[in-house]
Amino acid sequence: MLTNLSPFTPSSYSSTIRFLKNKPKHHFSSLPSSTPYSSSSSSHPSSNLSFVDKKHFPHEKIGFPLSNRKNFKTSALADFGFGSFESAQSVLEAVSVLTAIIVVHESGHFLAAYLQGIHVSKFAVGFGPILAKFNANNVEYSLRAFPLGGFVGFPDNDPDSDIPVDDENLLKNRPILDRVLVISAGVIANIVFAYLIIFAQIVFVGLPVQEAFPGVIVPEVRPFSAASRDGLLAGDVILSVNDIELPKTIPNSVSQVVDVIKKNPKSSVLFKINRGGKDVIINVTPDQNLDGSGRIGVQLAPNVKVLKEKPKDVLEAFSFTGREFWGLTGNVLDSLKQTVSNFSQTASKVSGPVAIIAVGAEVAKSNVDGLYQFAAILNLNLAIINLLPLPALDGGSLALILVEAVRGGRKLPLEVEQGIMSSGITLVFVLGIFLIIRDTLNLDFIKDLL
């Protein structure tokens, strides 16, 4: 979780970014170019399956039913692992994406206030000590030391402000609808930005489309394994197993091979493979795991080819974008629901800016196109998380306004509002620092040093 809080007053609206574990439900979800099954692993005796997702975002045109897609484990902060920051360019790209999202969110608050003539005193990216700043039109623009988000400050309760406390253009003196617009504008800005990012990829890069072929690819054969001993090679395409032809459907073809291997420890399994354009018959005898299931020591992946498809016209571009956008939004909402309903088991998936940058760098290194989805997911997560009715989030401020509306326009005492917001600010700030430390210690090169 990346926490954005304002260290000043309750009228400084801040942002919170969290990247949740997402299960592919939409056409824009992250499917792997190689979805490996390691039959030599016994860490998950119930299935011995290990899916790794890093790149490629297939379109629904492939024809894979949604009911099957949910079987994939998708890219989430915790699932990517933390790679060593090997490429400075990749890290810079990830930082740029994160910074742009923060700037867009805070710009939404700022523009909603500015266009209504509401006084604004600060616009900051980051928190803590100021690294650089300039002033324009009575607004201080600053870049700060801690990359926990950003904030827009209002002079409502600033004792150093020379603006009269009863000025109608102070945010606190504006009607409820004006304030709701300012507070919710950050969320709206991120939602619009996410839509535009998806639209840009579809128009300028094209939509990755996976075309499925019969069989299952063998990307890797482990040395000294049953597969290596009996003649399977990396790059082979398994066309049938024990005379069972393998269909194009993902992930059923991989599952069929896995099931046959697991059910036949120490028994010969007949593989028909394609190697270099020629069909070959190979018998492999799986070794036996401790749980009694079979293993042969290979990785298996669906036999697919990734193509880029661009829309034929503007209407099709908007149609593609709409489907991808709503599918991705539903995916994020489902992930949030799972996190809230099972927080004790999913709390470790909550990640901070270090983890987000680590994941973004890995995405950029493996596939620059993946940055589009990375940015879209962050925008939607930021928008949805900020709507939660928690102190220090936009949703918390909206909840206070709702209480005011229910009370017939009577605000809660200022001390009560400040107490609620301050407690929330303190909590999310401490959580943010904790996540930065935890995620930093999880980086590979830090582990190596320790």
Side-chain angles (χ1 to χ4, degrees):
M1 181 175 181
L2 190 107
T3 333
N4 303 339
L5 49 101
S6 169
F8 302 109
T9 70
S11 57
S12 294
Y13 298 107
S14 53
S15 335
T16 298
I17 295 179
R18 178 167 61 178
F19 193 61
L20 302 174
K21 181 176 181 180
N22 297 299
K23 292 187 177 179
K25 177 180 177 181
H26 48 84
H27 342 312
F28 203 57
S29 43
S30 179
L31 290 179
S33 60
S34 173
T35 307
Y37 154 71
S38 173
S39 71
S40 61
S41 169
S42 59
S43 59
H44 303 283
S46 61
S47 66
N48 276 335
L49 286 174
S50 173
F51 291 104
V52 179
D53 299 301
K54 288 187 178 178
K55 50 190 175 182
H56 302 317
F57 315 113
H59 186 261
E60 186 182 31
K61 192 169 183 178
I62 310 167
F64 306 149
L66 292 180
S67 60
N68 287 338
R69 292 185 199 158
K70 65 183 180 182
N71 294 324
F72 288 100
K73 181 189 291 182
T74 121
S75 338
L77 283 182
D79 293 333
F80 262 104
F82 302 125
S84 58
F85 285 171
E86 298 174 352
S87 170
Q89 180 180 351
S90 300
V91 175
L92 182 60
E93 289 171 352
V95 171
S96 299
V97 168
L98 182 57
T99 302
I101 290 170
I102 294 170
V103 170
V104 165
H105 183 93
E106 303 307 336
S107 295
H109 293 309
F110 179 85
L111 290 175
Y114 179 81
L115 294 176
Q116 294 185 89
I118 296 172
H119 295 301
V120 179
S121 58
K122 291 181 171 70
F123 184 104
V125 176
F127 296 103
I130 296 175
L131 303 178
K133 72 174 182 178
F134 69 92
N135 289 275
N137 297 324
N138 298 319
V139 179
E140 177 190 274
Y141 299 88
S142 63
L143 177 65
R144 302 187 177 226
F146 302 115
L148 297 179
F151 67 91
V152 173
F154 300 89
D156 294 36
N157 300 307
D158 185 354
D160 297 328
S161 174
D162 56 1
I163 300 174
V165 295
D166 59 349
D167 190 314
E168 64 177 10
N169 288 325
L170 289 174
L171 181 64
K172 65 181 181 180
N173 296 332
R174 281 302 188 99
I176 287 177
L177 288 179
D178 290 355
R179 285 179 279 147
V180 167
L181 179 59
V182 171
I183 297 169
S184 59
V187 168
I188 295 171
N190 283 120
I191 291 173
V192 173
F193 193 31
Y195 185 92
L196 293 176
I197 289 169
I198 298 171
F199 183 82
Q201 180 180 19
I202 289 173
V203 172
F204 298 112
V205 178
L207 198 60
V209 178
Q210 285 188 347
E211 182 180 357
F213 296 91
V216 171
I217 295 177
V218 181
E220 179 183 342
V221 177
R222 297 189 177 182
F224 311 110
S225 64
S228 175
R229 180 179 64 237
D230 293 335
L232 269 179
L233 301 177
D236 286 348
V237 178
I238 300 173
L239 301 177
S240 70
V241 54
N242 280 351
D243 295 324
I244 301 173
E245 298 292 328
L246 300 176
K248 297 181 181 181
T249 309
I250 297 177
N252 291 350
S253 53
V254 173
S255 300
Q256 280 186 283
V257 178
V258 171
D259 288 342
V260 172
I261 293 171
K262 290 175 65 177
K263 292 175 181 178
N264 290 278
K266 298 183 177 182
S267 299
S268 180
V269 176
L270 181 67
F271 288 93
K272 178 183 177 182
I273 66 170
N274 183 275
R275 178 182 295 167
K278 297 180 179 180
D279 290 351
V280 180
I281 302 297
I282 293 179
N283 287 289
V284 179
T285 302
D287 295 326
Q288 186 169 334
N289 285 315
L290 295 177
D291 64 355
S293 63
R295 72 177 189 273
I296 64 172
V298 297
Q299 288 187 333
L300 301 177
N303 188 10
V304 297
K305 181 179 180 181
V306 179
L307 307 172
K308 296 289 180 65
E309 179 181 3
K310 290 190 176 182
K312 300 179 180 65
D313 50 46
V314 174
L315 289 179
E316 189 172 57
F318 280 109
S319 176
F320 283 3
T321 303
R323 290 202 301 270
E324 303 300 329
F325 174 81
W326 288 114
L328 190 59
T329 301
N331 186 27
V332 173
L333 287 170
D334 286 347
S335 299
L336 177 61
K337 180 180 177 181
Q338 292 170 17
T339 300
V340 172
S341 62
N342 195 20
F343 188 76
S344 61
Q345 295 184 17
T346 58
S348 61
K349 306 298 181 184
V350 178
S351 301
V354 172
I356 290 174
I357 292 171
V359 172
E362 288 297 312
V363 171
K365 281 192 293 184
S366 62
N367 185 357
V368 175
D369 293 352
L371 283 175
Y372 286 95
Q373 192 196 37
F374 175 71
I377 288 175
L378 285 184
N379 270 287
L380 291 172
N381 271 281
L382 174 59
I384 293 171
I385 295 300
N386 264 278
L387 285 177
L388 296 177
L390 302 174
L393 302 184
D394 296 341
S397 300
L398 290 172
L400 290 176
I401 292 180
L402 177 61
V403 171
E404 176 185 336
V406 171
R407 285 164 52 90
R410 292 183 296 114
K411 298 181 180 179
L412 292 173
L414 180 61
E415 295 78 11
V416 174
E417 282 196 13
Q418 288 180 332
I420 293 173
M421 298 301 288
S422 296
S423 62
I425 285 172
T426 301
L427 177 62
V428 294
F429 184 78
V430 170
L431 180 58
I433 295 298
F434 164 77
L435 291 173
I436 288 177
I437 295 172
R438 186 201 68 182
D439 295 342
T440 300
L441 293 175
N442 278 329
L443 294 172
D444 287 346
F445 76 93
I446 296 294
K447 289 181 178 179
D448 292 339
L449 292 176
L450 298 177

